[in-house]
Amino acid sequence: MNSPTPTLDQTQDDLLERITPTGGERREILDPATGQLVGHAPVHGLDDLEAAVARAAAAQPAWAALGHERRSAVLLEAADAIDASAEALARILSREQGKPLNGPNARFEVGGASGWLRAAAATPLEAEVILDDGDVHAELHYRPIGVVGAIGPWNWPQMITVWQIGPALRMGNTVVVKPSEYTPLSVLALVEVLNTVLPAGVLEIVSGGREVGAALAAHPSIGKVMFTGSTSTGKAIIRSSADTVKRLTLELGGNDAGIVLPDVDPSAIAEGLFWGAFINTGQTCAALKRLYVHDDVYDAVVEALADVARAMPMGVGLDEQNVLGPLQNRQQFEIVDRLVEAAKRAGANVLVGGDPDRDGPGNFYPTTLVEVADHDLGLVQEEQFGPALPIVRYHDVDEAVALANSVDVGLGASVWSSDLVEARRVAARLEAGTVWINAHGAIHPMVPFGGAKQSGYGLEFGVEGLKALGVPQVING
Ligand code: NAD
């Protein structure tokens, strides 16, 4: 008799079993939608970090010696491995992070992880002839850095890990990953899948807390840290990396503004505005977090957006109908709750939501739209990082631009208009790393992405992203 084809759940269980620690300290990881056990993550410490860095350093010369073409081939095979385990990876991600399988969520994230890895593998990077005038022949090359540290957040744990490790590996570095303590299983599972293809030591993972991240950022054998997370942690990493003059790419917090100009068709942009703000239930660095709407179209835009918001199902991630999920952790739930409650006390008008069930089950905070007159409210000034969008009415575009630029972060921004020329003119005035027109947060593996102001520095994706994982070397002569 043939053995039965494994079901998707068995595959997921197999993968969870492979990453479950057999000894040492371990910790329970609970589903933020239900409180049920998802699995156990190892609690690695500083000795584990030392061992992982040593293995990565030992593996690096042979990995670099493979050259671009052979490394790219290995990385494409690793992307195939992600595709082959895509459903299991998506289910573990959904249960641990909370994001639904469907919508721009878990399956989308796993697809992004594979797609970005393919792009990092396939993007050509040729040496550039900088000057060749008869006297001087100067070429710019990029050498591997050595061992790279990759420290990640809990909101898009698998995709962001690939953003960090894909270009690092492609450029001949080996990597030690330190996932967020909130979502270690998603990243352990991803690394487990990638390591079915990669040579031993090329990709290491240390599943520890903040102290392990801090030690990685200070480690003398780490040449560069790729960090995605909050601005305050980014500042700590700058400090701990200073003594060894590490290279850094810092993708930090945002508080993105969207400006709706008076010539829009409200019903045509409502769904784009919704997903710009509420993708991943608002837990997205470059999500629309402050919406400025011109007086002329204010009522119509707000009404159209509220209609979309009310129709989007929120619930347990594994339920196929949902497109919004819980907040990943209680701390984040409390931040959103505190900011909305303070706005209410200050007289802001809640149009949709704002009434969470604080006794659970799960960290569900409802989709919330708040009309705000006072721009100094915390809900506007702080990165709320959840499903609560403040909406501000404006009369004059100069005023909207000034308000959009008034915070000290600048990751993304957007301008919404039927007039592309005017939209581009407004876009050029916004202090943000990316300004989208009639969209928000639409990223692409070949288009560079990075922050302005305290949203960080360095670019990811495309050729610029590869260059950031190499040491520039000029060969002159
Ligand atoms: P966080 O800064 O709390 O943690 C991120 C990672 O840093 C975790 O792995 C954590 O263990 C580690 N860490 C904590 N203290 C450290 C230290 N002193 N030294 C080294 N590592 C340390 O961020 P989070 O709450 O997980 O993620 C949410 C934040 O990330 C939001 O601000 C969001 O905007 C930002 N983010 C930015 C981008 C981007 O591309 N710019 C993308 C996603 C998330």
Side-chain angles (χ1 to χ4, degrees):
M1 203 176 93
N2 289 336
S3 56
T5 310
T7 65
L8 294 173
D9 274 343
Q10 275 176 323
T11 313
Q12 178 200 165
D13 288 344
D14 291 348
L15 190 48
L16 272 175
E17 203 181 307
R18 269 156 55 195
I19 61 171
T20 299
T22 46
E25 203 187 330
R26 63 185 209 168
R27 155 175 103 71
E28 288 186 341
I29 302 291
L30 305 180
D31 183 331
T34 61
Q36 286 169 359
L37 183 71
V38 181
H40 291 91
V43 179
H44 289 143
L46 299 182
D47 289 349
D48 300 301
L49 174 67
E50 284 304 327
V53 173
R55 286 191 296 270
Q60 196 271 332
W63 177 246
L66 282 183
H68 279 290
E69 210 172 305
R70 285 172 64 198
R71 281 196 304 272
S72 290
V74 175
L75 293 175
L76 289 174
E77 218 184 299
D80 291 342
I82 294 179
D83 291 347
S85 295
E87 189 62 17
L89 287 168
R91 281 170 183 264
I92 293 169
L93 174 63
S94 176
R95 289 170 62 201
E96 183 185 53
Q97 205 285 334
K99 63 183 68 192
L101 288 172
N102 288 323
N105 292 298
R107 289 179 178 133
F108 167 85
E109 177 166 351
V110 177
S114 150
W116 255 267
L117 186 55
R118 282 182 204 287
T123 302
L125 180 64
E126 308 294 343
E128 282 170 63
V129 178
I130 303 296
L131 188 62
D132 188 17
D133 67 359
D135 288 334
V136 178
H137 180 88
E139 290 181 359
L140 181 57
H141 296 249
Y142 289 87
R143 293 172 53 73
I145 297 167
V147 185
V148 169
I151 304 177
W154 48 261
N155 57 343
W156 292 90
Q158 293 178 347
M159 190 154 72
I160 288 175
T161 298
V162 167
W163 293 357
Q164 298 178 331
I165 69 176
L169 295 174
R170 161 65 199 280
M171 294 300 288
N173 308 289
T174 53
V175 184
V176 178
V177 177
K178 207 302 277 176
S180 166
E181 48 276 48
Y182 287 113
T183 50
L185 300 178
S186 301
V187 183
L188 285 158
L190 174 74
V191 168
E192 179 75 17
V193 167
L194 293 170
N195 276 340
T196 59
V197 173
L198 295 171
V202 165
L203 179 60
E204 291 284 332
I205 180 162
V206 183
S207 170
R210 307 174 86 83
E211 67 297 343
V212 174
L216 186 64
H219 200 291
S221 301
I222 298 286
K224 166 148 191 168
V225 173
M226 299 290 290
F227 174 69
T228 300
S230 62
T231 298
S232 61
T233 305
K235 290 176 186 175
I237 287 177
I238 294 170
R239 284 190 282 270
S240 38
S241 68
D243 281 345
T244 46
V245 195
K246 281 189 205 343
R247 289 157 194 279
L248 299 175
T249 292
L250 300 175
E251 295 287 2
L252 309 179
N255 191 3
D256 292 9
I259 299 181
V260 178
L261 298 183
D263 64 0
V264 295
D265 170 354
S267 58
I269 65 166
E271 199 157 325
L273 286 175
F274 178 82
W275 283 118
F278 292 94
I279 183 168
N280 200 28
T281 315
Q283 304 161 105
T284 299
C285 52
L288 204 174
K289 296 190 181 107
R290 299 174 287 147
L291 181 62
Y292 299 90
V293 185
H294 192 274
D295 224 4
D296 288 357
V297 285
Y298 185 88
D299 291 340
V301 168
V302 166
E303 199 184 312
L305 178 58
D307 284 346
V308 176
R310 286 189 196 99
M312 292 293 176
M314 177 184 285
V316 175
L318 293 186
D319 184 339
E320 298 276 351
Q321 65 149 9
N322 292 323
V323 292
L324 298 166
L327 289 163
Q328 201 283 327
N329 53 77
R330 201 64 194 173
Q331 195 186 331
Q332 193 58 47
F333 176 97
E334 274 154 19
I335 291 171
V336 178
D337 196 21
R338 168 177 62 79
L339 291 171
V340 174
E341 289 305 308
K344 280 190 204 166
R345 280 197 303 277
N349 180 31
V350 178
L351 288 163
V352 177
D355 54 349
D357 175 359
R358 296 185 182 81
D359 302 322
N363 300 328
F364 288 101
Y365 194 93
T367 308
T368 298
L369 299 176
V370 186
E371 290 185 294
V372 167
D374 176 1
H375 199 263
D376 291 335
L377 282 179
L379 186 62
V380 180
Q381 295 292 323
E382 292 176 37
E383 183 190 32
Q384 75 272 7
F385 216 59
L389 179 68
I391 308 173
V392 179
R393 184 192 287 266
Y394 76 86
H395 312 281
D396 169 52
V397 77
D398 289 345
E399 173 201 354
V401 168
L403 290 173
N405 288 339
S406 67
V407 298
D408 56 15
V409 286
L411 189 55
S414 56
V415 181
W416 302 73
S417 171
S418 307
D419 177 349
L420 205 52
V421 174
E422 177 58 12
R424 286 187 180 142
R425 228 189 325 258
V426 175
R429 298 173 62 193
L430 295 175
E431 296 164 356
T434 302
V435 185
W436 289 277
I437 294 172
N438 295 325
H440 199 114
I443 49 172
H444 186 285
M446 294 309 295
V447 179
F449 177 73
K453 302 204 275 191
Q454 292 191 28
S455 290
Y457 46 73
L459 289 170
E460 296 187 275
F461 313 164
V463 178
E464 300 303 326
L466 291 184
K467 289 179 179 176
L469 269 308
V471 180
Q473 179 182 51
V474 174
I475 309 253
N476 191 339

